[in-house]
Amino acid sequence: MDLSVVIPLLNERLSIPLLYEELQKALKPVTESYEFIFIDDGSTDGSSDLIEILRSQDPHIKLIQFRRNFGKSAALSAGFNEASGKFIVTLDADLQDDPQEIPHLLEKLQTGYDLISGWKFPRHDPLSKTLVSKIFNKIVSFVTGVKLHDMNCGLKCYRQEVVKDLRLYGEMHRFIPVLASWKGFKVGEIKVRHFPRRFGKSKFGFARFLRGFFDFITVYFITKYLKRPLHLFGGIGLLCFGTGFLINCYFGMQWLLGLPIRLRPLLTFSWILLIVGLQLVLMGLIGEMIAHGDRNRRDLYDIKKRLVD
């Protein structure tokens, strides 16, 4: 298999037929060896029923249907596990991503990259969504060093080895380029066309923004300190412990000089710093032991139906 197209979806029944036609137009001039993997993330509008009808007419189509909505990260993870193509493309099913950009992504990938991310330009979304996204991309790029304009664009192209070892959960799909770069893969970006939503409504909301923020903290910790948690907790712990120790030395000198110490807020604060610092160092040591153990994360989704053969 040359190419696998992974398509997560939630209640996109009206978009699926048009998306399928556009995908065929885009891929047939490029290769005859391809597959479409639709992952229905708990749709309630009959999306899976429609995909089954299309599958009966086209053996290139595969369907994975979740029992309920587990989120886009889980859907992508299931699609990546099923994909057998040498190259893997992801795009959303809402028709905002243009399948005609897939050959351009593949062409750019051949110039020495392992992952090519789309940059929606110009972007046709409400200001409330684009503004939050712009701030998010600026912060993530600055903190992680992965310089992309559109970290969360659904249209991406990967070499197979990039996705086979990814562990996605929560809102981690937003940070796939960061995770790939951390593993040593070369990440690039090209501008892609973007269209206004034609059917349904966006699944974006403030709750997803908050979840994404917390997952960003997780990704930052994973990419910086996963193999050396003592460097993080131990560093902060030593700072607290050292500050508390110096304050206690100051009061100790006063006691040796015969000055009354009495119970002062600063003295109490120094004891707290000593205790907290010691706890953080011990936490870092426990993290080091866990990091060197064998841990396998269970798949965080439950499949209701799997039509892939």
Side-chain angles (χ1 to χ4, degrees):
M1 186 68 64
D2 288 338
L3 180 64
S4 298
V5 182
V6 175
I7 311 160
L9 62 101
L10 175 62
N11 295 328
E12 299 288 358
R13 181 183 176 91
L14 296 177
S15 302
I16 290 170
L18 295 175
L19 175 63
Y20 172 64
E21 292 178 10
E22 292 298 320
L23 284 169
Q24 284 188 311
K25 292 178 184 177
L27 295 189
K28 282 189 175 180
V30 178
T31 178
E32 289 293 331
S33 179
Y34 61 86
E35 61 183 359
F36 302 141
I37 305 174
F38 290 90
I39 304 94
D40 185 350
D41 186 22
S43 294
T44 57
D45 65 345
S47 293
S48 286
D49 297 333
L50 178 57
I51 295 170
E52 285 192 53
I53 294 174
L54 293 175
R55 173 180 160 79
S56 67
Q57 304 166 2
D58 186 349
H60 291 105
I61 293 177
K62 296 182 178 181
L63 168 64
I64 296 174
Q65 182 184 7
F66 288 173
R67 293 189 182 278
R68 64 169 178 82
N69 177 237
F70 287 93
K72 189 173 180 179
S73 289
L76 286 174
S77 183
F80 290 155
N81 288 337
E82 184 59 42
S84 56
K86 183 166 61 173
F87 304 108
I88 298 170
V89 170
T90 60
L91 79 162
D92 296 332
D94 55 11
L95 297 178
Q96 290 193 267
D97 296 330
D98 186 0
Q100 295 297 327
E101 297 287 358
I102 293 177
H104 302 149
L105 292 169
L106 289 168
E107 183 180 354
K108 181 69 174 180
L109 196 73
Q110 301 298 328
T111 62
Y113 290 92
D114 300 298
L115 186 161
I116 297 297
S117 181
W119 171 13
K120 299 184 286 284
F121 189 88
R123 183 170 179 176
H124 297 281
D125 277 323
L127 180 61
S128 58
K129 188 174 180 179
T130 57
L131 182 60
V132 170
S133 180
K134 189 171 183 178
I135 296 172
F136 165 83
N137 285 307
K138 290 283 188 184
I139 294 174
V140 174
S141 294
F142 175 77
V143 173
T144 65
V146 181
K147 304 300 183 182
L148 296 181
H149 294 85
D150 194 354
M151 195 76 63
N152 192 35
C153 179
L155 188 56
K156 290 182 173 68
C157 184
Y158 313 77
R159 296 186 188 274
Q160 185 187 67
E161 56 267 28
V162 176
V163 304
K164 288 304 181 181
D165 195 34
L166 283 177
R167 297 291 180 267
L168 302 178
Y169 54 94
E171 299 290 318
M172 299 283 271
H173 62 276
R174 301 174 182 274
F175 308 101
I176 289 179
V178 176
L179 296 172
S181 178
W182 172 63
K183 288 178 175 290
F185 294 108
K186 188 176 181 182
V187 177
E189 182 181 52
I190 63 171
K191 292 181 180 180
V192 295
R193 282 176 292 186
H194 186 245
F195 301 116
R197 173 177 278 273
R198 297 175 62 177
F199 306 107
K201 60 180 182 179
S202 173
K203 281 72 177 180
F204 176 82
F206 188 70
R208 288 182 64 185
F209 172 75
L210 287 178
R211 293 196 299 269
F213 173 75
F214 289 123
D215 279 330
F216 170 60
I217 297 175
T218 302
V219 168
Y220 181 75
F221 178 80
I222 288 174
T223 55
K224 297 294 184 182
Y225 301 104
L226 179 64
K227 299 300 183 182
R228 45 192 179 94
L230 186 58
H231 288 214
L232 175 64
F233 294 110
I236 300 174
L238 287 177
L239 179 62
C240 293
F241 189 89
T243 303
F245 180 77
L246 291 175
I247 295 174
N248 273 274
C249 286
Y250 166 74
F251 284 110
M253 290 296 295
Q254 285 190 327
W255 179 77
L256 289 174
L257 294 173
L259 298 174
I261 297 178
R262 297 189 300 273
L263 185 61
R264 304 180 187 180
L266 184 60
L267 182 60
T268 304
F269 180 62
S270 70
W271 294 341
I272 294 173
L273 287 176
L274 288 172
I275 295 171
V276 171
L278 182 60
Q279 288 180 327
L280 286 171
V281 171
L282 292 175
M283 186 183 300
L285 289 171
I286 294 171
E288 289 285 343
M289 290 186 287
I290 294 174
H292 285 83
D294 292 327
R295 296 178 299 163
N296 294 316
R297 178 176 292 277
R298 183 180 179 273
D299 289 334
L300 299 178
Y301 53 84
D302 187 11
I303 294 176
K304 176 182 179 181
K305 187 180 295 182
R306 185 170 175 267
L307 303 176
V308 298
D309 296 324

